[in-house]
Amino acid sequence: MANFVLVHGAVHGAWCWERVIPFLEAGPQVETVVAIDLVGHGNRLEEKPLDSIYIDDYVNDVVAEIESRDLHDVVLVGHSLAGITITPAAYRLEGRLRRLVYLSTTNPSVGQSVEDRMNDPLSPISREVDFETMFCNDLDKETSIWLLSRLGPEPPGPMAEKVTLATGPTGVPSSYILLEKDEALPPAYQREQARTAQVDEIVNLDAGHSAFASRPQELAELLIRVSLL
């Protein structure tokens, strides 16, 4: 039985997984599904000043959630910016993890920051892509309104901080889910991030960056499938 822990990306919160969770919970191989609000996001927006939040705060949130629930056989899933969170968290949770799953994440090399990666010509910053294009290109109007209305600010620290780990611990299997219709992080950019993270496999999903909203059942089924590898 697998326990899924879902970590949101920049300007999102645990709310973004709402449509995926029921499909995951319905899986006979799934025991628990937990979506985390990282500090400064979702229901924890005002818990701490945004300019005092750093990567370690995100990592501590993930580790504390898993340890407090005493979860094992954890499939730790990170979306987008969460690539910088789940990698270092894995080193503190090594004996509890079943698999790391990077869902269209940015994975800077050691000594780089996410801001550094945004200098890439394919990054949304370089291409001057707005939130609606980044997040809603394969969503219907109602879902787009729902998603855009829930977005919040992003603490600057995790974006600017240089990472000290780029790959997960030896012995913890890893997968990268490449979103083929992604307008935030195009497929070529995602492939480069997967190489940096040195994942064991890349699997494709025909969806945009907000696959949890546009293809929740398909995403859940894929997450369950990779967890069984």
Side-chain angles (χ1 to χ4, degrees):
M1 299 289 284
N3 295 292
F4 283 84
V5 175
L6 311 174
V7 186
H8 62 80
V11 305
H12 286 61
W15 55 265
C16 73
W17 302 103
E18 288 176 6
R19 299 185 179 194
V20 174
I21 290 172
F23 293 110
L24 282 175
E25 291 178 332
Q29 311 93 334
V30 178
E31 184 171 1
T32 306
V33 182
V34 179
I36 298 175
D37 264 330
L38 299 175
V39 65
H41 300 79
N43 294 324
R44 302 178 63 195
L45 179 60
E46 298 180 0
E47 189 173 305
K48 190 175 182 180
L50 294 185
D51 61 3
S52 68
I53 295 171
Y54 295 94
I55 295 173
D56 274 351
D57 294 292
Y58 291 171
V59 174
N60 290 339
D61 288 342
V62 172
V63 172
E65 189 75 27
I66 292 172
E67 290 185 342
S68 67
R69 294 172 179 267
D70 196 24
L71 297 178
H72 293 80
D73 285 319
V74 172
V75 181
L76 183 56
V77 183
H79 176 245
S80 198
L81 182 66
I84 63 173
T85 299
I86 66 171
T87 296
Y91 284 87
R92 293 173 56 185
L93 296 164
E94 201 168 343
R96 296 178 181 269
L97 294 184
R98 181 176 187 145
R99 181 169 288 268
L100 282 175
V101 181
Y102 299 90
L103 176 60
S104 186
T105 54
T106 287
N107 298 80
S109 301
V110 171
Q112 277 193 327
S113 67
V114 173
E115 283 186 355
D116 293 332
R117 293 300 307 134
M118 291 301 101
N119 292 321
D120 188 298
L122 292 175
S123 81
I125 303 300
S126 296
R127 292 181 292 117
E128 299 182 346
V129 179
D130 61 22
F131 278 172
E132 184 171 7
T133 303
M134 276 197 279
F135 300 139
C136 305
N137 68 302
D138 65 340
L139 302 182
D140 59 40
K141 184 176 180 180
E142 182 180 354
T143 305
S144 297
I145 292 171
W146 166 79
L147 187 147
L148 292 171
S149 71
R150 301 293 298 272
L151 299 179
E154 179 60 36
M159 300 285 291
E161 191 175 350
K162 309 290 187 184
V163 305
T164 58
L165 294 165
T167 62
T170 302
V172 177
S174 58
S175 303
Y176 193 106
I177 297 180
L178 187 150
L179 300 177
E180 296 173 343
K181 293 180 178 176
D182 201 322
E183 289 291 341
L185 306 179
Y189 179 95
Q190 293 178 67
R191 290 188 190 95
E192 183 179 352
Q193 305 313 296
R195 286 193 293 270
T196 300
Q198 296 182 25
V199 297
D200 297 313
E201 61 161 8
I202 299 175
V203 292
N204 289 17
L205 180 62
D206 184 27
H209 197 63
S210 302
F212 41 71
S214 64
R215 303 288 294 276
Q217 182 173 0
E218 293 89 341
L219 176 57
E221 290 171 351
L222 183 56
L223 289 171
I224 292 171
R225 180 165 66 82
V226 301
S227 76
L228 298 175
L229 295 175

